[in-house]
DNA sequence: GTAATAAATTTGACACTGTCAAGTCTTGTG
DNA sequence: CACAAGACTTGACAGTGTCAAATTTATTAC
């Protein structure tokens, strides 16, 4: 049976390219991601993405934005299952953070790859999506730390400490990546967080 | 004056390629690194590196190993200037960690890019250098945490906590990268570490 | 309904890159 | 000195990002 040739107008190519990129990432890691492969998977020619993205780096940032949306969902879902006490909320959100980094290991690392973040480097749609979604995901953790901040003199010390800790742990110890491999079992993050002995004020 | 054509035998090409790679990294970030550019900078043809490295990923790992050597030097130098007390030693080593991540921001991030770490993927010289240097740099921090470990039940909890914290802070807040940009000043890491209230045993 | 315009593609080309194979030059060994 | 091994060079190919021109489709105005 002859295959119906797709007409010139895709209809929702931007979204299709982002989804194709997420699939390629999951299947083969960040090195498997390319504009031409995304275009092929979306059923268009190699130059079609140029109308929607300001080059490969814009498509990558759009994928990062999508990752932040999923990331925030994980933390919010975890928070929803916890008791109202500040410690319980913070523990749950951190658990969601670590769970996402385990279950979406490649995407999580891809999200935090070093890249130049400047509005003039990306198309405006992608830039707006990225700033909204990354701020929203960070705000989940930030809100959870508020009850523990001690005052203006310390500024954001608790927030910075908690985010450093959970992010460092996610980068170094979660998922398949265990940069420091040795024979002793790595403690769960649930064992680490209480060691901070945080006090709500 | 006619330029003297380099004969076919470089003499120390492996080292020259690594140094060329470090230079390209400093000048233009990780995207500026390529086998052909390193070869050109070392004054050889594009295929010459193949005799010394099992592809681009081997050259990258050799650069990472070099980074770990420099990294360890930073922490050891910082430790050398501190008092003998466990707290002072740990604080100094963490300060060296953060200092390296600031002063060699691109290299530091490059060192911790996600990559597949399996011996069969690299030439044996590169693999050996990498395992030696990365173990050595990690061991500096590990040694500093030993006085604070509480016992077998906790395993490596303090070490994991401290490494997560300092690495997360270095990734998120040091150098030019400030992923979470907002108006309040980020506290120095020297303010964060005492919040752990670590007790030597 | 038609014409004009804009949007959304496709086609083709170029430069850069990694990798491979064959060939050539240099060094080391017997 | 001859041979073998090491260390390159040359040439080619596939994949990639990006650009420009051409083509098709959708939208808008009348």
């Amino acid at each position: 049976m002859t295959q119906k040739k797709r007409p010139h107008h895709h209809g929702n190519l931007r979204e299709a390219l982002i989804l194709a990129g997420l699939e390629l990432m999951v299947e083969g890691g960040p090195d498997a991601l390319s504009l031409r492969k995304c275009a092929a998977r979306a059923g268009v020619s190699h130059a079609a993405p140029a109308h929607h993205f300001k080059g490969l780096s814009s498509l990558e940032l759009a994928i990062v934005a999508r990752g932040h949306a999923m990331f925030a969902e994980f933390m919010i879902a975890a928070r929803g299952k916890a008791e109202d006490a500040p410690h319980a909320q913070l523990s749950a959100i951190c658990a969601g953070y670590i769970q996402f980094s385990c279950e979406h290991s490649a995407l999580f690392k891809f999200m935090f790859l070093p890249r130049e973040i400047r509005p003039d480097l990306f198309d405006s749609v992608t830039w707006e999506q990225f700033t909204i979604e990354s701020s929203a995901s960070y705000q989940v953790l930030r809100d959870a730390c508020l009850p523990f901040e001690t005052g203006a003199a310390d500024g954001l010390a608790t927030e910075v400490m908690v985010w450093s800790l959970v992010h460092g742990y996610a980068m170094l110890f979660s998922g398949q990546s265990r940069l420091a491999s040795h024979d002793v079992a790595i403690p769960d993050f649930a064992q680490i967080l209480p060691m901070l002995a945080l006090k709500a004020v």
Side-chain angles (χ1 to χ4, degrees), chain A:
Chain A
M1 189 221 284
T2 62
Q3 192 147 356
K4 193 174 178 184
K5 191 177 224 170
R6 184 194 284 279
H8 264 60
H9 204 283
H10 183 280
N12 198 19
L13 182 55
R14 188 175 192 286
E15 183 64 19
L17 290 167
I18 294 172
L19 293 180
L22 281 163
E23 287 171 15
L24 286 163
M25 178 85 54
V26 167
E27 288 163 22
D31 290 339
L33 181 68
S34 75
L35 275 175
R36 289 195 187 221
K37 283 177 187 159
C38 289
R41 201 165 276 219
V44 293
S45 72
H46 61 273
H51 183 74
H52 299 274
F53 297 102
K54 200 174 174 183
L56 174 62
S57 58
S58 269
L59 175 58
E60 290 179 338
L61 201 70
I63 293 169
V64 169
R66 195 58 52 91
H68 276 288
M70 295 162 61
F71 189 26
E73 282 172 20
F74 262 66
M75 293 189 282
I76 290 168
R79 182 179 69 188
K81 293 170 186 161
E83 296 184 11
D84 280 349
H87 282 96
Q89 293 272 289
L90 181 58
S91 292
I93 284 164
C94 289
Y97 202 114
I98 300 298
Q99 188 189 356
F100 181 81
S101 73
C102 288
E103 293 183 21
H104 297 280
S105 182
L107 177 57
F108 180 76
K109 291 187 167 72
F110 181 75
M111 283 160 66
F112 290 97
L113 286 179
R115 46 177 67 87
E116 251 186 308
I117 305 292
R118 279 183 8 225
D120 59 290
L121 296 178
F122 309 99
D123 59 85
S124 59
V125 174
T126 300
W127 180 255
E128 187 178 353
Q129 284 189 348
F130 169 74
T131 56
I132 287 172
E133 302 291 3
S134 62
S135 298
S137 72
Y138 178 66
Q139 195 62 40
V140 176
L141 187 64
R142 208 174 178 192
D143 288 345
C145 291
L146 270 176
F148 304 95
E149 296 294 355
T150 54
D154 285 312
L156 303 167
T158 303
E159 172 185 316
V160 166
M161 180 178 68
V162 170
W163 194 20
S164 297
L165 189 73
V166 68
H167 191 75
Y169 186 95
M171 282 292 187
L172 296 166
F173 300 110
S174 73
Q176 292 83 11
S177 85
R178 289 289 169 95
L179 294 174
S181 60
H182 34 63
D183 297 327
V184 184
I186 303 291
D188 288 339
F189 190 77
Q191 292 177 251
I192 306 292
L193 190 61
M195 290 169 72
L196 297 186
L198 295 172
K199 288 184 176 63
V201 297

